[in-house]
């Protein structure tokens, strides 16, 4: 019996089975990629709930109380509020940034710690393994319609100008990896460097903090 050959485009070899699987299916079977997909989906904006049925109904007219001829109508007695004399309650604080990132609140974003050699923008094998779920997430049908900004961030070791240049090179390195290894369209990715200007973990100058050496991904269509 002869079988028609499977198309190579968009296919990946299933580990140890020799069975061709569509590339998006790999993201669906990858918990790390699925989590990134959920974090990078656009957030729901401004859903206006309908007003209650009686909120727009005209108020029933109330007849004024009858006043005897020559008498003066007494003003209604003031009713004390149960909260009178109590200090005002402050509203709950609103998060200024998205959780775990330095992105504005309400924006779909994720922060990923990426291992680079000191002072280098070369991706190590460990860095590529860390970025692989991101590549599968961005190339999935769920996120294919959207554009993203790849931000490079550094810690506060070294001078600010050097860290700015280094962050730009690292952002470009991550963008190049996502394009070359995962087929993400270049037009969907914008690389920028922010140096040490937005530390995830606030530290003094010269502080070696691995969590600040990271890449942040922001959905530009959110």
């Amino acid at each position: 019996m002869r079988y028609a050959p499977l198309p190579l485009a968009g296919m990946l070899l299933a580990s140890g089975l020799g069975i061709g699987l569509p590339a998006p299916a790999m993201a669906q079977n990858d918990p790390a990629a699925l989590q990134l997909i959920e974090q990078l989906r656009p957030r729901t904006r401004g859903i206006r709930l309908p007003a209650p049925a009686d909120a727009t109904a005209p108020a029933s007219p109330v007849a004024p109380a009858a006043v005897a001829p020559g008498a003066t109508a007494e003003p209604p007695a003031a009713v004390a509020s149960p909260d009178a004399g109590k200090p005002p309650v402050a509203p709950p604080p609103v998060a200024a940034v998205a959780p775990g990132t330095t992105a504005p609140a309400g924006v779909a974003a994720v922060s990923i710690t990426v291992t680079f050699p000191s002072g280098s923008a070369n991706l190590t094998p460990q860095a590529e393994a860390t970025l692989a779920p991101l590549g599968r997430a961005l190339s999935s049908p769920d996120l294919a319609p959207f554009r993203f900004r790849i931000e490079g961030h550094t810690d506060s070791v070294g001078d600010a100008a050097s860290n700015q240049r280094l962050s730009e090179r690292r952002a470009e390195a991550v963008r190049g990896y996502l394009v070359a290894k995962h087929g993400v369209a270049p037009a969907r990715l914008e690389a920028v460097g922010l140096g040490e200007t937005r530390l995830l973990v606030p530290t003094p100058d010269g502080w070696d903090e691995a969590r600040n050496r990271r890449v942040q991904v922001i959905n530009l269509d959110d």
Side-chain angles (χ1 to χ4, degrees), residues 32-203:
L34 288 174
Q35 182 178 0
L36 289 169
I37 289 172
E38 290 305 314
Q39 290 175 294
L40 291 171
R41 288 182 195 272
R43 301 291 185 259
T44 302
R45 290 174 178 262
I47 299 177
R48 180 173 294 179
L49 298 177
D54 58 349
T56 56
S60 300
V62 178
V67 180
T72 303
E74 293 292 334
V79 179
S81 169
D83 294 329
K86 295 182 180 180
V89 178
V94 178
V97 297
T101 74
T102 52
V107 172
V110 357
S111 187
I112 302 172
T113 302
V114 180
T115 303
F116 287 95
S118 179
S120 170
N122 295 326
L123 289 173
T124 64
Q126 181 181 353
E128 291 194 359
T130 300
L131 291 169
L134 175 64
R136 291 190 285 272
L138 294 183
S139 59
S140 70
D142 304 86
L143 299 181
F146 307 113
R147 298 171 302 117
F148 296 89
R149 182 165 68 236
I150 311 297
E151 296 179 350
H153 297 264
T154 70
D155 58 22
S156 60
V157 176
D159 65 271
S162 297
N163 282 336
Q164 175 61 35
R165 291 190 295 269
L166 182 59
S167 68
E168 293 169 1
R169 289 163 47 213
R170 287 177 172 176
E172 285 291 351
V174 172
R175 179 180 182 272
Y177 164 81
L178 295 171
V179 170
K181 296 293 183 69
H182 293 276
V184 182
R188 293 178 54 213
L189 302 177
E190 169 189 307
V192 298
L194 295 173
E196 58 182 81
T197 61
R198 297 185 188 174
L199 299 176
L200 182 63
V201 181
T203 66

